Amino acid sequence: MNKEDDMKDVELNEMDQEKLPMTGETPTGTEKNGSVKVKVPEDTEVKFTGLSKEELMKVAGTTGWVRTRMALLVLFWLGWVGMLAGAIVIIVQAPRCKPIPEMNWWNEGLLYKISDVSAFSDNKLKGVEEKLDYLSQMKVKGLVLGPIHTVQADYSDTLELTAIDPDFGSEEELTSLLERAHRKGISIVLDLTPNYGGASVWFDSAAAVAERLKEACVYWLSKGVDGIILSHLNDIANTEAWPSIQAIFNQTEETKKRALMGSVIGLPVDEVSLLLNRSGVDLLLTELADPTESGVTQAQVIQKLYSGHLQTSLGWRLRGRSLGSPAVRLFHTLLFTLPGTPVFSAGDEVGLKAGEKIQAMWDLESKAEDANVTAKTVQEERTTVRDFFKALSDLKGKERSLLHGEYVSLYSSATSLAYLRLWDQSERFLVALNWGNGSDTMTLINSDLPAEARVRATTDTVNLAVDSKVSVEKLELGPKQAVLLSYPYPG
């Protein structure tokens, strides 16, 4: 081998050394000179210590940070003041809620009059107590009983206003009735009209029995009775004894107000209005004009009494029972939606006519035989009337517009009537009635009215189905029909 070959071998060996890995080992495991071992830790943690207190204090005092903090503080207070101002503007501009007028128990729903306790139930006063669950379902707020005191017709010397006629029950039964009725939220009113079975309800002179009447009022109020009602109020209210009778009811220290009520029959509306002012009774029951009279007359009577008196002192009842079941629902609608307290006699809720026994109402609880088509039809009709009555009573008790809302007359004709009941921002109600023998199209105009309203109760379920929407600008009602519509506060 020559010298040049030896030099090539040396260069190749040096190149092979450069290609060796940096592990520091040769393929045979021996270390070579010049190799370096480097160990790199697998996990390396970097800790952030932040600025020290001295460094922070030094930075915080610089001009830039002082200006930044001041700007943020100003922005905070500007935002806070802006939100406060916005809240004040919203409160100031928000519509005010009207204060609820003073209401007493007789303003919260219907009064139910049982003139003949023995006819209402064979068990007399005990039977009335047994029917309290039924009366509660009808949303009755006050029960007007009697008269039930002892008297021989037209003989004033037999009058005992503090004694109960055995034909109607006993004082123990009345006490039991009072206790249970109160637990159910039903108040009891006694009719103390003296000569209720005679030719003149006040005998020859109301003044002659005034002292006994005062004693009876004190007696029955002390027994827990919630009110007294007197028929032909104009006769006794004109006597010198009347202020002292009123004083009995003003002196009671009970939390629950005791009511002095009266009723009148056949008085012109001007005299009714005058009697309300002069007598100062808590509630005066007024008969509505005969259904055959003009709707214009009806509207005038209602407007006269509503505009001149607090509606909390107005009571409304039907005159007689000459109406059939289609028309009776129409007048249920009227009584429940007028401003004031609706007063019904036992049997009105199912459409009983004059002369029909109350027992016919209790017969509805037993299903009529399918073979007796007439009885079954009558039962279905009366059940429908009662369901309608109950639905209206429920609305009267919970809707502010119907309980104490304003009355706004919209329309009246010879046979029809329409009006609004509205209160503050509560749901509004539109009432339309047509007791004529033909259809009537009512043109209703008022800034509060919407284009459409929802049907809440109706006697015409074919053309005006419950919960459907109807146009109110020109509202058409068929003969003997009524509808109760509602719509929200327009804002």
Side-chain angles (χ1 to χ4, degrees):
M1 182 181 294
N2 57 27
K3 186 176 181 179
E4 291 180 0
D5 293 333
D6 291 338
M7 292 296 295
K8 289 180 180 178
D9 289 339
V10 172
E11 290 175 1
L12 288 172
N13 288 334
E14 288 176 351
M15 291 176 63
D16 291 340
Q17 290 292 332
E18 291 174 358
K19 294 179 180 178
L20 289 174
M22 293 296 292
T23 60
E25 296 182 357
T26 64
T28 59
T30 60
E31 293 185 2
K32 295 290 182 178
N33 291 333
S35 298
V36 179
K37 273 188 182 177
V38 180
K39 294 184 179 179
V40 180
E42 295 181 0
D43 298 320
T44 303
E45 295 182 1
V46 179
K47 294 183 179 180
F48 177 77
T49 58
L51 297 177
S52 66
K53 180 179 178 182
E54 291 74 13
E55 290 172 326
L56 282 173
M57 294 298 295
K58 183 178 179 180
V59 173
T62 61
T63 305
W65 277 110
V66 171
R67 290 177 179 176
T68 300
R69 288 201 305 273
M70 184 60 67
L72 291 174
L73 182 64
V74 170
L75 287 174
F76 168 79
W77 283 110
L78 285 175
W80 187 88
V81 171
M83 289 188 293
L84 178 63
I88 293 173
V89 170
I90 291 173
I91 293 172
V92 170
Q93 292 184 347
R96 294 286 189 275
C97 292
K98 293 177 65 174
I100 302 296
E102 182 180 355
M103 303 281 287
N104 289 292
W105 57 264
W106 60 87
N107 306 127
E108 296 173 352
L110 72 101
L111 299 185
Y112 190 90
K113 182 167 176 56
I114 304 175
S115 299
D116 190 342
V117 172
S118 59
F120 185 78
S121 172
D122 293 337
N123 291 334
K124 305 169 186 178
L125 285 173
K126 187 66 177 176
V128 176
E129 182 180 344
E130 293 167 353
K131 297 297 183 183
L132 284 176
D133 286 339
Y134 166 81
L135 297 173
S136 183
Q137 291 174 6
M138 295 297 111
K139 310 298 182 182
V140 171
K141 292 299 180 182
L143 197 55
V144 183
L145 296 177
I148 58 174
H149 55 261
T150 300
V151 66
Q152 186 177 343
D154 298 323
Y155 288 90
S156 61
D157 56 344
T158 66
L159 177 64
E160 294 184 54
L161 289 171
T162 57
I164 295 177
D165 190 322
D167 288 341
F168 303 126
S170 65
E171 187 168 324
E172 290 74 20
E173 291 175 341
L174 178 60
T175 300
S176 178
L177 170 61
L178 281 166
E179 292 175 353
R180 189 170 176 212
H182 288 163
R183 288 198 297 269
K184 290 186 172 294
I186 299 176
S187 300
I188 302 293
V189 178
L190 282 187
D191 189 335
L192 291 185
T193 304
N195 191 29
Y196 57 89
S200 173
V201 296
W202 291 99
F203 298 106
D204 294 328
S205 169
V209 297
E211 286 302 317
R212 280 181 279 180
L213 177 62
K214 287 164 58 178
E215 293 172 3
C217 289
V218 172
Y219 180 80
W220 290 118
L221 291 179
S222 70
K223 295 294 183 180
V225 170
D226 302 293
I228 301 296
I229 189 168
L230 304 169
S231 298
H232 293 74
L233 181 70
N234 45 314
D235 290 342
I236 185 66
N238 290 325
T239 66
E240 294 181 357
W242 181 248
S244 59
I245 294 173
Q246 280 185 289
I248 294 170
F249 294 83
N250 295 331
Q251 291 173 356
T252 56
E253 298 179 356
E254 301 289 336
T255 304
K256 183 178 181 180
K257 178 79 167 66
R258 305 299 178 89
L260 176 57
M261 304 179 182
S263 66
V264 292
I265 298 174
L267 282 184
V269 64
D270 289 334
E271 292 186 31
V272 172
S273 180
L274 184 63
L275 180 61
L276 255 173
N277 288 329
R278 187 174 66 246
S279 67
V281 290
D282 296 302
L283 189 72
L284 182 63
L285 276 58
T286 305
E287 287 188 330
L288 288 170
D290 191 283
T292 60
E293 290 192 17
S294 168
V296 176
T297 302
Q298 296 270 26
Q300 290 173 346
V301 169
I302 297 166
Q303 187 64 45
K304 174 76 175 181
L305 295 178
Y306 169 75
S307 61
H309 307 278
L310 293 174
Q311 61 176 290
T312 52
S313 65
L314 301 178
W316 307 96
R317 62 181 179 180
L318 294 175
R319 180 181 296 174
R321 276 188 175 163
S322 59
L323 302 173
S325 87
V328 76
R329 287 189 294 160
L330 183 151
F331 283 94
H332 286 170
T333 306
L334 178 62
L335 285 185
F336 273 118
T337 58
L338 283 175
T341 301
V343 183
F344 295 93
S345 294
D348 283 347
E349 70 268 37
V350 297
L352 291 186
K353 294 183 180 180
E356 286 189 278
K357 295 182 178 180
I358 297 294
Q359 183 58 41
M361 183 167 66
W362 309 132
D363 290 342
L364 296 179
E365 306 304 321
S366 302
K367 186 177 180 180
E369 296 180 1
D370 292 337
N372 192 336
V373 178
T374 301
K376 188 176 181 180
T377 301
V378 171
Q379 186 177 68
E380 290 174 352
E381 288 179 354
R382 287 181 170 170
T383 300
T384 300
V385 171
R386 186 179 62 187
D387 291 344
F388 186 79
F389 180 96
K390 184 178 177 181
L392 288 174
S393 184
D394 185 56
L395 282 173
K396 176 72 173 183
K398 70 182 183 182
E399 294 290 349
R400 289 184 176 181
S401 291
L402 295 178
L403 267 178
H404 46 71
E406 300 170 30
Y407 167 88
V408 179
S409 180
L410 290 178
Y411 178 89
S412 61
S413 70
T415 59
S416 58
L417 183 65
Y419 51 89
L420 280 178
R421 296 298 310 281
L422 47 91
W423 174 261
D424 198 25
Q425 301 171 48
S426 298
E427 187 89 352
R428 273 86 161 96
F429 287 85
L430 190 160
V431 187
L433 312 105
N434 174 23
W435 54 85
N437 294 319
S439 297
D440 192 359
T441 300
M442 306 179 185
T443 301
L444 307 178
I445 300 174
N446 187 280
S447 59
D448 193 80
L449 285 176
E452 291 184 327
R454 181 164 69 102
V455 178
R456 300 296 296 274
T458 177
T459 60
D460 186 0
T461 56
V462 175
N463 298 308
L464 298 168
V466 173
D467 287 332
S468 65
K469 292 289 188 71
V470 297
S471 173
V472 300
E473 185 177 357
K474 290 188 177 296
L475 183 62
E476 184 174 354
L477 274 183
K480 311 294 184 187
Q481 301 294 346
V483 65
L484 177 64
L485 308 174
S486 74
Y487 59 95
Y489 172 62

